[in-house]
Amino acid sequence: MRKFLAAALICLLPFTASAQEMSDDDVKQLALEAILENPQIIMEALAILEEQRNQAQAVAQAEALLRQREFLESDPNAPFVGNADGSAVIVEFFDYNCPYCKRAAGNVKALLADDDDVRVVYREWPILSEDSVFAARAALAARAQGKYEEMHWGLMEMRGRATEASVLSLARSVDLDVDQLVADMQSEEVNAHIETSQQLAQTLGFTGTPAFVIGDALIPGAVPLSDLQGYVASARDGG
């Protein structure tokens, strides 16, 4: 960090000598003198470092998306809703106990109702609590009984937290065999999906839920319906 900061400081200083000609002590002395004469220079140097880090992160994320995009959009172990052959694909990372995810779910549902040429691929990413893990496992296990979509929307529209009791109550209300559901929650498919979601989120640089991948765009956080529609339109245009 000190070397990076010194390099940034040198970029802001009047030319005196090439970096190759300066010893470490020279760099330190020059930096100290500059700071004493103009304390604001330290903030400018930090801004340079931050910009460099942001640029490097953006490049790394773009490269990661390029490598993972096909898998993200077509992972056979990821549930989806909407048009299986949709011309635009939305990949959503979410947690059932995330209030922002519940807000985003309403926008996604409205988008699907308005556009029948979209496929939404779900990445269950339960990061908030053990209750979230239980809810994600239950939703994924419901696939074995053809009830994922019912469980998904039920959990997203549930008032209050998703807990073991409320999740199982919802399962009964959508006519799931609860004994089978609980057994299927420990399946390899369920384990693999959650583990893969964690790996993908880390690779793409996501740090919280919800998060979306739409075309070439990595979108952290809940966004308005109009923005989702804009991203979908851009994805269809190849942008």
Side-chain angles (χ1 to χ4, degrees), residues 23-204:
S23 68
D24 287 346
D25 287 340
D26 290 335
V27 170
K28 292 177 183 178
Q29 183 60 35
L30 189 60
L32 178 60
E33 291 174 1
I35 293 169
L36 291 175
E37 292 177 6
N38 182 12
Q40 181 62 27
I41 199 172
I42 194 70
M43 300 305 298
E44 295 174 5
L46 289 172
I48 290 174
L49 288 178
E50 184 66 20
E51 179 62 22
Q52 290 174 342
R53 288 174 179 170
N54 289 341
Q55 291 176 355
Q57 183 180 21
V59 169
Q61 288 177 310
E63 291 174 348
L65 178 55
L66 185 63
R67 293 192 303 269
Q68 299 291 347
R69 182 170 168 181
E70 182 176 355
F71 177 76
L72 279 163
E73 294 183 350
S74 59
D75 177 12
N77 194 29
F80 72 88
V81 298
N83 187 340
D85 300 314
S87 63
V89 181
I90 298 173
V91 182
E92 180 183 2
F93 291 74
F94 64 92
D95 183 307
Y96 287 118
N97 279 319
C98 165
Y100 300 103
C101 296
K102 292 191 174 187
R103 184 185 306 169
N107 292 335
V108 171
K109 197 170 190 177
L111 177 67
L112 288 168
D114 183 62
D115 189 336
D116 61 4
D117 196 24
V118 174
R119 173 162 48 99
V120 179
V121 177
Y122 286 124
R123 297 295 338 175
E124 303 269 355
W125 189 27
I127 56 175
L128 295 179
S129 67
E130 287 302 315
D131 284 338
S132 297
V133 175
F134 188 92
R137 286 185 173 278
L140 291 167
R143 292 179 297 176
Q145 299 181 54
K147 295 281 188 177
Y148 177 83
E149 190 167 355
E150 290 91 331
M151 282 294 288
H152 174 79
W153 293 123
L155 288 164
M156 281 300 185
E157 294 165 3
M158 179 181 290
R159 291 189 175 184
R161 290 184 59 80
T163 63
E164 180 174 346
S166 62
V167 169
L168 294 181
S169 176
L170 173 64
R172 295 185 188 94
S173 74
V174 297
D175 297 324
L176 280 163
D177 181 328
V178 173
D179 290 337
Q180 180 186 339
L181 182 76
V182 171
D184 290 339
M185 285 170 62
Q186 304 305 319
S187 70
E188 285 302 314
E189 291 81 5
V190 169
N191 292 338
H193 177 95
I194 294 175
E195 181 178 349
T196 301
S197 293
Q198 175 62 36
Q199 292 169 351
L200 288 170
Q202 183 175 359
T203 298
L204 295 172

